[in-house]
PDB file of all heavy atoms in Angstrom:
ATOM      1  N   ARG D  57       1.259  80.310  -9.428  1.00 87.00           N
ATOM      2  CA  ARG D  57       0.327  81.214 -10.091  1.00 87.00           C
ATOM      3  C   ARG D  57       0.105  80.718 -11.516  1.00 87.00           C
ATOM      4  O   ARG D  57       0.839  79.851 -12.007  1.00 87.00           O
ATOM      5  CB  ARG D  57       0.859  82.646 -10.100  1.00 87.00           C
ATOM      6  CG  ARG D  57       2.187  82.822 -10.831  1.00 87.00           C
ATOM      7  CD  ARG D  57       2.645  84.274 -10.808  1.00 87.00           C
ATOM      8  NE  ARG D  57       3.878  84.463 -11.563  1.00 87.00           N
ATOM      9  CZ  ARG D  57       5.082  84.306 -11.059  1.00 87.00           C
ATOM     10  NH1 ARG D  57       5.214  83.962  -9.787  1.00 87.00           N
ATOM     11  NH2 ARG D  57       6.153  84.492 -11.807  1.00 87.00           N
ATOM     12  N   ALA D  58      -0.928  81.256 -12.135  1.00 89.00           N
ATOM     13  CA  ALA D  58      -1.270  80.818 -13.492  1.00 89.00           C
ATOM     14  C   ALA D  58      -0.141  81.150 -14.461  1.00 89.00           C
ATOM     15  O   ALA D  58       0.470  82.224 -14.383  1.00 89.00           O
ATOM     16  CB  ALA D  58      -2.567  81.483 -13.946  1.00 89.00           C
ATOM     17  N   LEU D  59       0.120  80.210 -15.364  1.00 89.00           N
ATOM     18  CA  LEU D  59       1.191  80.364 -16.345  1.00 89.00           C
ATOM     19  C   LEU D  59       0.582  80.385 -17.745  1.00 89.00           C
ATOM     20  O   LEU D  59       0.203  79.337 -18.268  1.00 89.00           O
ATOM     21  CB  LEU D  59       2.205  79.223 -16.215  1.00 89.00           C
ATOM     22  CG  LEU D  59       3.338  79.204 -17.247  1.00 89.00           C
ATOM     23  CD1 LEU D  59       4.184  80.464 -17.132  1.00 89.00           C
ATOM     24  CD2 LEU D  59       4.196  77.964 -17.080  1.00 89.00           C
ATOM     25  N   PRO D  60       0.449  81.564 -18.377  1.00 90.00           N
ATOM     26  CA  PRO D  60      -0.067  81.607 -19.758  1.00 90.00           C
ATOM     27  C   PRO D  60       0.968  81.022 -20.724  1.00 90.00           C
ATOM     28  O   PRO D  60       2.120  81.467 -20.768  1.00 90.00           O
ATOM     29  CB  PRO D  60      -0.289  83.100 -20.020  1.00 90.00           C
ATOM     30  CG  PRO D  60      -0.230  83.760 -18.677  1.00 90.00           C
ATOM     31  CD  PRO D  60       0.670  82.907 -17.835  1.00 90.00           C
ATOM     32  N   LEU D  61       0.538  80.051 -21.490  1.00 90.00           N
ATOM     33  CA  LEU D  61       1.444  79.407 -22.436  1.00 90.00           C
ATOM     34  C   LEU D  61       1.230  79.875 -23.866  1.00 90.00           C
ATOM     35  O   LEU D  61       2.183  79.976 -24.639  1.00 90.00           O
ATOM     36  CB  LEU D  61       1.269  77.882 -22.376  1.00 90.00           C
ATOM     37  CG  LEU D  61       2.062  77.123 -21.323  1.00 90.00           C
ATOM     38  CD1 LEU D  61       1.859  75.631 -21.499  1.00 90.00           C
ATOM     39  CD2 LEU D  61       3.535  77.463 -21.375  1.00 90.00           C
ATOM     40  N   TYR D  62      -0.017  80.147 -24.227  1.00 92.00           N
ATOM     41  CA  TYR D  62      -0.307  80.425 -25.640  1.00 92.00           C
ATOM     42  C   TYR D  62      -1.452  81.423 -25.739  1.00 92.00           C
ATOM     43  O   TYR D  62      -2.395  81.394 -24.922  1.00 92.00           O
ATOM     44  CB  TYR D  62      -0.679  79.116 -26.363  1.00 92.00           C
ATOM     45  CG  TYR D  62      -1.231  79.315 -27.758  1.00 92.00           C
ATOM     46  CD1 TYR D  62      -0.391  79.584 -28.830  1.00 92.00           C
ATOM     47  CD2 TYR D  62      -2.597  79.256 -27.983  1.00 92.00           C
ATOM     48  CE1 TYR D  62      -0.906  79.776 -30.094  1.00 92.00           C
ATOM     49  CE2 TYR D  62      -3.115  79.440 -29.245  1.00 92.00           C
ATOM     50  CZ  TYR D  62      -2.267  79.705 -30.301  1.00 92.00           C
ATOM     51  OH  TYR D  62      -2.774  79.896 -31.544  1.00 92.00           O
ATOM     52  N   LYS D  63      -1.376  82.293 -26.725  1.00 92.00           N
ATOM     53  CA  LYS D  63      -2.439  83.248 -27.038  1.00 92.00           C
ATOM     54  C   LYS D  63      -2.524  83.393 -28.547  1.00 92.00           C
ATOM     55  O   LYS D  63      -1.528  83.690 -29.212  1.00 92.00           O
ATOM     56  CB  LYS D  63      -2.166  84.603 -26.386  1.00 92.00           C
ATOM     57  CG  LYS D  63      -3.276  85.625 -26.633  1.00 92.00           C
ATOM     58  CD  LYS D  63      -2.966  86.940 -25.942  1.00 92.00           C
ATOM     59  CE  LYS D  63      -4.069  87.953 -26.200  1.00 92.00           C
ATOM     60  NZ  LYS D  63      -3.770  89.267 -25.542  1.00 92.00           N
ATOM     61  N   SER D  64      -3.706  83.192 -29.082  1.00 91.00           N
ATOM     62  CA  SER D  64      -3.903  83.248 -30.533  1.00 91.00           C
ATOM     63  C   SER D  64      -4.077  84.696 -30.983  1.00 91.00           C
ATOM     64  O   SER D  64      -4.613  85.534 -30.259  1.00 91.00           O
ATOM     65  CB  SER D  64      -5.133  82.429 -30.927  1.00 91.00           C
ATOM     66  OG  SER D  64      -5.387  82.550 -32.310  1.00 91.00           O
ATOM     67  N   SER D  65      -3.634  84.961 -32.196  1.00 89.00           N
ATOM     68  CA  SER D  65      -3.783  86.288 -32.802  1.00 89.00           C
ATOM     69  C   SER D  65      -4.895  86.331 -33.846  1.00 89.00           C
ATOM     70  O   SER D  65      -5.090  87.363 -34.492  1.00 89.00           O
ATOM     71  CB  SER D  65      -2.458  86.715 -33.445  1.00 89.00           C
ATOM     72  OG  SER D  65      -2.052  85.778 -34.437  1.00 89.00           O
ATOM     73  N   THR D  66      -5.626  85.234 -34.012  1.00 89.00           N
ATOM     74  CA  THR D  66      -6.714  85.166 -34.998  1.00 89.00           C
ATOM     75  C   THR D  66      -8.017  85.621 -34.355  1.00 89.00           C
ATOM     76  O   THR D  66      -8.392  85.126 -33.292  1.00 89.00           O
ATOM     77  CB  THR D  66      -6.871  83.737 -35.528  1.00 89.00           C
ATOM     78  OG1 THR D  66      -5.622  83.296 -36.069  1.00 89.00           O
ATOM     79  CG2 THR D  66      -7.921  83.678 -36.610  1.00 89.00           C
ATOM     80  N   ASP D  67      -8.680  86.574 -34.989  1.00 90.00           N
ATOM     81  CA  ASP D  67      -9.961  87.081 -34.505  1.00 90.00           C
ATOM     82  C   ASP D  67     -11.075  86.389 -35.278  1.00 90.00           C
ATOM     83  O   ASP D  67     -11.426  86.790 -36.396  1.00 90.00           O
ATOM     84  CB  ASP D  67     -10.025  88.594 -34.682  1.00 90.00           C
ATOM     85  CG  ASP D  67     -11.242  89.201 -33.997  1.00 90.00           C
ATOM     86  OD1 ASP D  67     -12.015  88.448 -33.371  1.00 90.00           O
ATOM     87  OD2 ASP D  67     -11.432  90.428 -34.102  1.00 90.00           O
ATOM     88  N   LEU D  68     -11.624  85.331 -34.683  1.00 91.00           N
ATOM     89  CA  LEU D  68     -12.689  84.594 -35.367  1.00 91.00           C
ATOM     90  C   LEU D  68     -13.993  85.382 -35.430  1.00 91.00           C
ATOM     91  O   LEU D  68     -14.786  85.179 -36.346  1.00 91.00           O
ATOM     92  CB  LEU D  68     -12.936  83.257 -34.660  1.00 91.00           C
ATOM     93  CG  LEU D  68     -11.983  82.111 -34.947  1.00 91.00           C
ATOM     94  CD1 LEU D  68     -12.537  80.818 -34.365  1.00 91.00           C
ATOM     95  CD2 LEU D  68     -11.730  81.938 -36.423  1.00 91.00           C
ATOM     96  N   ASN D  69     -14.226  86.269 -34.458  1.00 92.00           N
ATOM     97  CA  ASN D  69     -15.454  87.054 -34.491  1.00 92.00           C
ATOM     98  C   ASN D  69     -15.504  87.957 -35.719  1.00 92.00           C
ATOM     99  O   ASN D  69     -16.552  88.091 -36.368  1.00 92.00           O
ATOM    100  CB  ASN D  69     -15.568  87.896 -33.212  1.00 92.00           C
ATOM    101  CG  ASN D  69     -15.862  87.047 -31.992  1.00 92.00           C
ATOM    102  OD1 ASN D  69     -16.965  86.576 -31.797  1.00 92.00           O
ATOM    103  ND2 ASN D  69     -14.849  86.847 -31.161  1.00 92.00           N
ATOM    104  N   ALA D  70     -14.378  88.578 -36.051  1.00 93.00           N
ATOM    105  CA  ALA D  70     -14.335  89.420 -37.245  1.00 93.00           C
ATOM    106  C   ALA D  70     -14.524  88.590 -38.510  1.00 93.00           C
ATOM    107  O   ALA D  70     -15.231  89.008 -39.444  1.00 93.00           O
ATOM    108  CB  ALA D  70     -13.012  90.178 -37.302  1.00 93.00           C
ATOM    109  N   LEU D  71     -13.911  87.417 -38.556  1.00 93.00           N
ATOM    110  CA  LEU D  71     -14.095  86.540 -39.719  1.00 93.00           C
ATOM    111  C   LEU D  71     -15.541  86.072 -39.829  1.00 93.00           C
ATOM    112  O   LEU D  71     -16.088  85.964 -40.940  1.00 93.00           O
ATOM    113  CB  LEU D  71     -13.158  85.336 -39.611  1.00 93.00           C
ATOM    114  CG  LEU D  71     -11.660  85.625 -39.699  1.00 93.00           C
ATOM    115  CD1 LEU D  71     -10.861  84.346 -39.492  1.00 93.00           C
ATOM    116  CD2 LEU D  71     -11.312  86.255 -41.042  1.00 93.00           C
ATOM    117  N   ALA D  72     -16.174  85.792 -38.693  1.00 94.00           N
ATOM    118  CA  ALA D  72     -17.571  85.367 -38.723  1.00 94.00           C
ATOM    119  C   ALA D  72     -18.492  86.482 -39.196  1.00 94.00           C
ATOM    120  O   ALA D  72     -19.451  86.245 -39.955  1.00 94.00           O
ATOM    121  CB  ALA D  72     -17.994  84.887 -37.334  1.00 94.00           C
ATOM    122  N   GLU D  73     -18.225  87.716 -38.784  1.00 94.00           N
ATOM    123  CA  GLU D  73     -19.038  88.848 -39.242  1.00 94.00           C
ATOM    124  C   GLU D  73     -18.904  89.041 -40.748  1.00 94.00           C
ATOM    125  O   GLU D  73     -19.898  89.272 -41.449  1.00 94.00           O
ATOM    126  CB  GLU D  73     -18.610  90.118 -38.508  1.00 94.00           C
ATOM    127  CG  GLU D  73     -18.911  90.118 -37.015  1.00 94.00           C
ATOM    128  CD  GLU D  73     -20.387  90.230 -36.714  1.00 94.00           C
ATOM    129  OE1 GLU D  73     -21.154  90.609 -37.619  1.00 94.00           O
ATOM    130  OE2 GLU D  73     -20.781  89.925 -35.574  1.00 94.00           O
ATOM    131  N   ALA D  74     -17.687  88.940 -41.256  1.00 94.00           N
ATOM    132  CA  ALA D  74     -17.479  89.090 -42.698  1.00 94.00           C
ATOM    133  C   ALA D  74     -18.149  87.960 -43.480  1.00 94.00           C
ATOM    134  O   ALA D  74     -18.751  88.187 -44.534  1.00 94.00           O
ATOM    135  CB  ALA D  74     -15.981  89.134 -43.001  1.00 94.00           C
ATOM    136  N   ALA D  75     -18.064  86.730 -42.952  1.00 94.00           N
ATOM    137  CA  ALA D  75     -18.700  85.607 -43.639  1.00 94.00           C
ATOM    138  C   ALA D  75     -20.220  85.727 -43.605  1.00 94.00           C
ATOM    139  O   ALA D  75     -20.903  85.381 -44.582  1.00 94.00           O
ATOM    140  CB  ALA D  75     -18.257  84.293 -43.000  1.00 94.00           C
ATOM    141  N   PHE D  76     -20.772  86.250 -42.486  1.00 94.00           N
ATOM    142  CA  PHE D  76     -22.224  86.373 -42.404  1.00 94.00           C
ATOM    143  C   PHE D  76     -22.745  87.469 -43.337  1.00 94.00           C
ATOM    144  O   PHE D  76     -23.878  87.380 -43.818  1.00 94.00           O
ATOM    145  CB  PHE D  76     -22.641  86.665 -40.966  1.00 94.00           C
ATOM    146  CG  PHE D  76     -24.121  86.596 -40.742  1.00 94.00           C
ATOM    147  CD1 PHE D  76     -24.793  85.379 -40.833  1.00 94.00           C
ATOM    148  CD2 PHE D  76     -24.849  87.739 -40.469  1.00 94.00           C
ATOM    149  CE1 PHE D  76     -26.165  85.309 -40.641  1.00 94.00           C
ATOM    150  CE2 PHE D  76     -26.214  87.677 -40.274  1.00 94.00           C
ATOM    151  CZ  PHE D  76     -26.875  86.461 -40.358  1.00 94.00           C
ATOM    152  N   LYS D  77     -21.955  88.496 -43.588  1.00 95.00           N
ATOM    153  CA  LYS D  77     -22.357  89.506 -44.582  1.00 95.00           C
ATOM    154  C   LYS D  77     -22.474  88.876 -45.968  1.00 95.00           C
ATOM    155  O   LYS D  77     -23.381  89.218 -46.743  1.00 95.00           O
ATOM    156  CB  LYS D  77     -21.359  90.654 -44.587  1.00 95.00           C
ATOM    157  CG  LYS D  77     -21.418  91.534 -43.347  1.00 95.00           C
ATOM    158  CD  LYS D  77     -20.413  92.663 -43.434  1.00 95.00           C
ATOM    159  CE  LYS D  77     -20.491  93.556 -42.195  1.00 95.00           C
ATOM    160  NZ  LYS D  77     -19.500  94.658 -42.224  1.00 95.00           N
ATOM    161  N   LYS D  78     -21.571  87.972 -46.273  1.00 94.00           N
ATOM    162  CA  LYS D  78     -21.690  87.243 -47.546  1.00 94.00           C
ATOM    163  C   LYS D  78     -22.950  86.398 -47.569  1.00 94.00           C
ATOM    164  O   LYS D  78     -23.612  86.283 -48.610  1.00 94.00           O
ATOM    165  CB  LYS D  78     -20.459  86.360 -47.755  1.00 94.00           C
ATOM    166  CG  LYS D  78     -19.162  87.122 -47.947  1.00 94.00           C
ATOM    167  CD  LYS D  78     -18.006  86.162 -48.177  1.00 94.00           C
ATOM    168  CE  LYS D  78     -16.701  86.895 -48.366  1.00 94.00           C
ATOM    169  NZ  LYS D  78     -15.563  85.943 -48.592  1.00 94.00           N
ATOM    170  N   CYS D  79     -23.297  85.797 -46.430  1.00 94.00           N
ATOM    171  CA  CYS D  79     -24.528  85.000 -46.363  1.00 94.00           C
ATOM    172  C   CYS D  79     -25.760  85.873 -46.566  1.00 94.00           C
ATOM    173  O   CYS D  79     -26.728  85.465 -47.231  1.00 94.00           O
ATOM    174  CB  CYS D  79     -24.609  84.276 -45.022  1.00 94.00           C
ATOM    175  SG  CYS D  79     -23.323  83.039 -44.750  1.00 94.00           S
ATOM    176  N   GLN D  80     -25.767  87.072 -45.985  1.00 94.00           N
ATOM    177  CA  GLN D  80     -26.891  87.975 -46.179  1.00 94.00           C
ATOM    178  C   GLN D  80     -27.015  88.398 -47.641  1.00 94.00           C
ATOM    179  O   GLN D  80     -28.129  88.468 -48.190  1.00 94.00           O
ATOM    180  CB  GLN D  80     -26.721  89.205 -45.281  1.00 94.00           C
ATOM    181  CG  GLN D  80     -26.876  88.912 -43.805  1.00 94.00           C
ATOM    182  CD  GLN D  80     -26.603  90.126 -42.946  1.00 94.00           C
ATOM    183  OE1 GLN D  80     -25.809  90.995 -43.314  1.00 94.00           O
ATOM    184  NE2 GLN D  80     -27.249  90.196 -41.785  1.00 94.00           N
ATOM    185  N   MET D  81     -25.891  88.684 -48.284  1.00 95.00           N
ATOM    186  CA  MET D  81     -25.926  89.027 -49.703  1.00 95.00           C
ATOM    187  C   MET D  81     -26.418  87.845 -50.533  1.00 95.00           C
ATOM    188  O   MET D  81     -27.203  88.014 -51.481  1.00 95.00           O
ATOM    189  CB  MET D  81     -24.531  89.456 -50.165  1.00 95.00           C
ATOM    190  CG  MET D  81     -24.451  89.892 -51.619  1.00 95.00           C
ATOM    191  SD  MET D  81     -22.775  90.392 -52.085  1.00 95.00           S
ATOM    192  CE  MET D  81     -21.887  88.854 -51.841  1.00 95.00           C
ATOM    193  N   ALA D  82     -25.997  86.643 -50.165  1.00 94.00           N
ATOM    194  CA  ALA D  82     -26.447  85.452 -50.883  1.00 94.00           C
ATOM    195  C   ALA D  82     -27.938  85.225 -50.690  1.00 94.00           C
ATOM    196  O   ALA D  82     -28.639  84.813 -51.622  1.00 94.00           O
ATOM    197  CB  ALA D  82     -25.660  84.236 -50.402  1.00 94.00           C
TER     198      ALA D  82
END
Side-chain angles (χ1 to χ4, degrees):
R57 61 179 183 273
L59 176 62
L61 274 185
Y62 170 78
K63 182 179 180 181
S64 176
S65 59
T66 304
D67 189 1
L68 280 191
N69 289 285
L71 294 177
E73 293 289 344
F76 189 68
K77 289 181 179 179
K78 294 181 180 180
C79 295
Q80 291 176 330
M81 182 180 63

